[in-house]
Amino acid sequence: ACLQARAAICAAAQERYDEFSDRLFDEGGADPAGLLALAHSLGLDTVSFESCLWSDQTTTELSANIREAIDAGARGTPTVLINGKHHAGGFGPE
């Protein structure tokens, strides 16, 4: 999941997080080649995307995101915070 999170950070850097995230959940992309193909299919700058994927800055941002989630009480994904209460796992339409 960390590789996919790194990729989402890099898509966000190109202001395409929502589209990338939606497609990632729909289609997957478990390895670097799959993530690059997904980025390419969305028209992202794949040279910048790949550079970002392995950058120290992305490592730092991901580490900060993980720390923030742990500090907020998240213990897995998905975890949703609603009105100060943690809800983990899947959700129905209601």
Side-chain angles (χ1 to χ4, degrees):
C2 285
L3 180 59
Q4 289 81 3
R6 293 176 74 88
I9 289 168
C10 296
Q14 294 188 42
E15 299 181 7
R16 300 295 295 275
Y17 173 83
D18 289 335
E19 294 167 84
F20 187 87
S21 178
D22 289 346
R23 293 272 301 276
L24 183 60
F25 279 106
D26 290 343
E27 300 173 18
D31 61 17
L35 294 168
L36 282 170
L38 180 57
H40 176 75
S41 74
L42 291 170
L44 275 69
D45 176 339
T46 54
V47 172
S48 294
F49 182 88
E50 186 172 23
S51 177
C52 173
L53 199 59
W54 307 115
S55 76
D56 291 340
Q57 181 178 346
T58 301
T59 300
T60 299
E61 186 171 343
L62 177 57
S63 295
N65 291 345
I66 291 169
R67 175 56 43 208
E68 182 179 347
I70 290 169
D71 290 348
R75 298 293 178 256
T77 54
T79 297
V80 178
L81 186 64
I82 301 172
N83 297 325
K85 294 183 180 182
H86 290 95
H87 302 273
F91 296 92
E94 65 283 352

